[in-house]
């Protein structure tokens, strides 16, 4: 979750892009590009081309003349940013580069997206969308964000199975890092992917699908940006559904401990927010599906927690206007699954985030282990969130073959303090074999990381097939994934 919503540019971007979202009627999902080859657009930031509709949004990524991530804690190692507007441009550009990284919406807190040479943005390729109502799939251009896609899908009578805490993230970036929401039965967002189109290091276009290439496909979906440039993704859809969200305050840890499974399965998506103080969970967010037109009359108490009588921010002291509607007001799936609303007034994003996945069977022990650190954690913490995620088959997903619980930390933006805390937390969680979120901050050693992914060497082999020279690798990947393999 986020305490602070993202930069102003994205609010604008969501509104505009939705208006221009374009259905492509005779477009073959994952087939050859239907668009004509436009004039190549090279954006060396700080260029004079601010007025260009492609360049201007990319320039909005600059703060203090520097290209940084959303939170501003990572200053990228190059400002060379090429904006492709077609598959053909992607192919040509990739062929010419010795080394590059794709930048999505820059929401990772670590250096997984960093490049010392060259960035490629697909932001200008964020409008094509192909619905296949019969197959119940939608194929999207990889630059698209969930914020752009979801209202459109809903207007056509469809929905995705789950969303993260905010809708501003690119679909390709989110799936590449196993981004997740919550829900006992809900896999991470990448589990909705049924096919993808990718440009390999040689500039060749590869199509992979769950149906035809199961093994390779499972290796490629959570690809950490290491296999190639994803240019299209096909996602499973389901009929649109309505939801109600209720928030309860003050659940004791002992209730949680006694009834963890019942609490987690009480709604379609459950989030537990805690500051770890006073042995309690500050807020329990229950997101219920309203299938069959029913509405729920939620009880006043939920395992000892009291139903809130006003909309709440995960940090109760903060105003809730940026948060999705609560108090049981029915609304569409895409306005209830995230914690934060589309179209909110964003702030600077002054926070850091870390998150650890542990196997579901260790949930309570892991939660109690972190709770024991409450005094150390408190000065740096804004809020923690506990979520549940179903198991999947995606090789580099932290939920590969195991249902997980995640313990998330939204930190004050004070890396010196946070960097001292993370090893302490990681040590406490070590007995439960934690896996850090690929897009958030951690200090676990590469050896620890590598030993916790049984498919890691298969993943390394797969990336060598598509990228033999390591064109798409960077320091983060070389250190955490490829070293020693
Ligand atoms: C405020 C906030 C809230 C968040 N909430 C959640 C949450 O609820 N749950 C959760 O799990 N995570 C959450 N995250 C983390 C976030 O979902 C991930 O960091 C995700 O990767 C962001 O996508 P992005 O496009 O911004 O990624 P970027 O940082 O731009 O890129 C991430 C990786 O994907 C690769 N990539 C991007 N696009 C492509 C492409 N087209 N082809 C190949 N590789 C590509 C990049 O090279 C990089 O390796 C949150 C982050 C923030 C800042």
């Amino acid at each position: 979750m986020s305490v602070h919503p993202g930069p102003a540019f994205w609010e604008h971007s969501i509104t505009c892009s939705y208006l221009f979202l374009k259905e492509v009627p005779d477009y073959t999902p994952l087939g050859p590009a239907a668009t004509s080859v436009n004039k190549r657009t090279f954006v060396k930031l700080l260029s004079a081309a601010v007025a260009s509709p492609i360049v201007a949004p990319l320039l909005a990524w600059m703060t203090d003349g520097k290209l940084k991530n959303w939170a501003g804690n990572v200053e990228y190692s190059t400002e060379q940013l090429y904006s492709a507007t077609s598959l053909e441009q992607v192919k040509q550009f990739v062929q010419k580069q010795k080394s590059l990284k794709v930048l999505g919406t820059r929401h990772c807190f670590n250096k997984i997206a960093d490049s010392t040479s060259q960035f490629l943005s697909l932001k200008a390729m964020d409008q094509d969308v192909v619905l296949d109502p019969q197959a119940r799939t939608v194929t999207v251009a990889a630059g698209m964000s969930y914020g752009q896609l979801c209202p459109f899908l809903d207007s056509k009578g469809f929905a995705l199975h789950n969303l993260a805490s905010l809708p501003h993230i690119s679909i390709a970036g989110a799936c590449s890092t196993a981004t997740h929401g919550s829900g006992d039965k809900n896999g991470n967002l990448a589990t909705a992917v049924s096919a993808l189109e990718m440009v390999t290091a040689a500039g060749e276009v590869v199509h992979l699908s769950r149906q035809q290439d199961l093994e390779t496909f499972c290796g490629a979906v959570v690809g950490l940006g290491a296999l190639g440039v994803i240019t299209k993704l096909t996602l499973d859809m389901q009929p649109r559904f309505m939801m109600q969200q209720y928030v309860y305050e003050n659940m004791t840890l002992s209730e949680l401990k006694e009834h963890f499974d019942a609490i987690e399965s009480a709604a379609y998506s459950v989030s537990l927010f805690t500051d770890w103080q006073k042995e309690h969970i500050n807020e329990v967010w229950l997101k219920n599906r309203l299938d069959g037109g029913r509405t729920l009359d939620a009880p006043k108490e939920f395992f000892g927690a009291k139903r809130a009588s006003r909309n709440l921010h995960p940090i109760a002291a903060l105003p809730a206007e940026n948060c999705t509607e609560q108090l049981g007001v029915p609304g569409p799936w895409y306005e209830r699954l995230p914690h934060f609303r589309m179209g909110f007034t964003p702030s600077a994003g002054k926070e850091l985030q870390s998150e650890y996945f542990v196997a579901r069977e260790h949930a309570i022990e892991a939660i109690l282990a972190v709770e024991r650190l409450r005094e150390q954690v408190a000065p740096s913490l804004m809020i923690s969130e506990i979520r549940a995620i179903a198991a999947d088959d995606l090789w580099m997903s932290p939920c590969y073959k195991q249902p997980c619980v995640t313990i998330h930390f939204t930190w004050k933006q004070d890396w010196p303090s946070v960097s001292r805390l993370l090893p302490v937390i990681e040590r406490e969680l070590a007995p439960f074999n934690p896996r850090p979120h690929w897009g958030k901050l951690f200090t676990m050693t590469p050896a620890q990381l590598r030993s916790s992914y049984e498919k890691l060497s298969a993943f390394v082999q797969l990336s060598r097939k598509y990228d033999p020279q390591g064109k798409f690798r960077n320091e983060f990947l070389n250190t955490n994934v490829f070293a020693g393999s």
Side-chain angles (χ1 to χ4, degrees):
M1 57 74 55
S2 156
V3 172
H4 302 291
F9 160 64
W10 285 110
E11 180 179 14
H12 177 69
S13 158
I14 281 172
T15 319
C16 295
S17 297
Y18 173 50
L19 288 177
F20 296 120
L21 208 64
K22 152 175 117 208
E23 280 179 89
V24 188
D26 54 351
Y27 173 104
T28 317
L30 299 184
T35 47
S36 63
V37 179
N38 295 324
K39 196 164 161 267
R40 218 178 131 207
T41 313
F42 182 80
V43 182
K44 175 141 180 2
L45 290 169
L46 303 176
S47 78
V50 185
S52 150
I54 294 168
V55 177
L58 299 179
L59 285 172
W61 290 0
M62 306 280 287
T63 39
D64 313 329
K66 301 284 182 195
L67 184 58
K68 293 182 181 172
N69 68 343
W70 173 89
N73 67 307
V74 173
E75 184 181 315
Y76 294 123
S77 306
T78 180
E79 287 165 7
Q80 299 284 342
L81 177 60
Y82 174 84
S83 173
T85 57
S86 70
L87 179 65
E88 196 54 42
Q89 286 187 356
V90 173
K91 285 162 57 181
Q92 286 176 14
F93 183 72
V94 169
Q95 266 169 356
K96 284 188 189 136
Q97 300 305 313
K98 278 209 173 74
S99 172
L100 77 147
K101 292 302 296 173
V102 187
L103 257 192
T105 38
R106 306 168 299 119
H107 277 60
C108 286
F109 289 85
N110 59 28
K111 291 196 167 179
I112 190 169
D114 197 20
S115 171
T116 51
S117 319
Q118 186 68 56
F119 285 117
L120 170 64
S121 170
L122 306 186
K123 178 76 196 96
M125 295 169 64
D126 68 350
Q127 294 184 11
D128 291 349
V129 51
V130 179
L131 274 184
D132 185 339
Q134 269 182 337
R136 286 212 180 151
T137 60
V138 58
T139 299
V140 299
M144 191 177 287
S145 70
Y146 287 99
Q148 291 169 278
L149 176 65
C150 295
F152 173 79
L153 273 191
D154 188 70
S155 73
K156 299 291 177 190
F158 292 101
L160 301 176
H161 79 292
N162 210 357
L163 291 170
S165 68
L166 85 176
H168 307 69
I169 46 181
S170 80
I171 301 170
C175 293
S176 296
T177 56
T179 289
H180 61 91
S182 190
D184 262 357
K185 297 200 170 81
N186 299 324
N188 66 42
L189 305 191
T191 60
V193 178
S194 63
L196 60 85
E197 176 186 89
M198 181 174 76
V199 174
T200 67
E204 282 159 8
V205 179
V206 168
H207 296 108
L208 296 172
S209 76
R210 193 195 289 143
Q211 236 176 4
Q212 286 171 17
D213 319 277
L214 185 61
E215 183 74 356
T216 312
F217 173 81
C218 287
V221 178
V222 179
L224 311 179
L227 269 55
V229 181
I230 297 166
T231 42
K232 280 183 211 157
L233 286 165
T234 300
L235 307 175
D236 291 335
M237 309 183 296
Q238 48 183 277
R240 77 184 289 271
F241 54 91
M242 297 288 283
M243 298 191 83
Q244 267 178 319
Q245 180 165 234
Y246 284 101
V247 174
Y248 288 83
E249 292 183 275
N250 292 326
M251 176 186 283
T252 62
L253 263 190
S254 59
E255 284 285 341
L256 184 71
K257 202 171 137 189
E258 285 300 305
H259 306 288
F260 188 75
D261 286 339
I263 291 165
E264 287 296 336
S265 61
Y268 185 70
S269 165
V270 176
S271 284
L272 309 170
F273 291 98
T274 179
D275 57 8
W276 304 105
Q277 302 306 303
K278 300 182 189 154
E279 298 188 359
H280 81 306
I281 300 294
N282 306 34
E283 296 177 19
V284 180
W285 289 39
L286 301 179
K287 298 170 192 271
N288 295 294
R289 275 179 77 130
L290 301 176
D291 294 325
R294 74 199 167 102
T295 51
L296 296 174
D297 195 12
K300 287 202 169 119
E301 277 203 25
F302 179 71
F303 293 97
K306 302 277 181 298
R307 197 177 72 200
S309 54
R310 63 188 168 101
N311 277 356
L312 284 173
H313 189 281
I315 300 172
L318 294 185
E321 66 240 22
N322 295 344
C323 299
T324 46
E325 189 66 45
Q326 302 157 28
L327 304 171
V329 178
W333 58 281
Y334 70 95
E335 291 182 351
R336 296 294 179 275
L337 284 170
H339 303 326
F340 294 101
R341 290 196 286 128
M342 297 182 194
F344 51 68
T345 305
S347 70
K350 283 236 166 285
E351 66 187 62
L352 300 175
Q353 295 187 9
S354 305
E355 188 167 32
Y356 298 95
F357 296 66
V358 297
R360 170 69 180 246
E361 69 206 73
H362 300 309
I364 292 297
E365 291 166 284
I367 290 167
L368 294 178
V370 175
E371 198 269 335
R372 285 194 291 275
L373 300 173
R374 61 187 176 277
E375 298 303 329
Q376 288 175 72
V377 159
S380 304
L381 187 73
M382 295 173 104
I383 199 73
S384 268
E385 180 178 8
I386 298 165
R387 288 180 275 187
I389 305 128
D392 61 53
D393 295 321
L394 306 174
W395 294 359
M396 297 308 281
S397 160
C399 299
Y400 178 73
K401 304 280 186 209
Q402 62 173 22
C404 283
V405 162
T406 58
I407 306 179
H408 163 96
F409 303 84
T410 300
W411 304 110
K412 294 173 189 165
Q413 207 167 68
D414 174 5
W415 177 236
S417 303
V418 172
S419 64
R420 281 193 296 275
L421 272 172
L422 294 184
V424 179
I425 294 171
E426 289 163 6
R427 211 175 309 126
E428 285 301 308
L429 291 178
F432 318 114
N433 195 20
R435 293 170 176 178
H437 191 301
W438 285 114
K440 301 186 183 179
L441 294 163
F442 59 87
T443 57
M444 287 170 65
T445 65
Q448 284 172 314
L449 266 187
R450 288 196 298 271
S451 73
S452 63
Y453 282 90
E454 64 182 89
K455 293 297 258 184
L456 189 128
S457 58
F459 178 75
V460 168
Q461 289 308 316
L462 187 64
S463 40
R464 290 207 172 112
K465 176 176 163 195
Y466 294 122
D467 180 18
Q469 311 299 325
K471 197 178 263 194
F472 298 112
R473 286 180 219 158
N474 58 12
E475 195 187 331
F476 177 97
L477 292 172
N478 281 333
T479 305
N480 292 304
V481 179
F482 289 93
S485 304

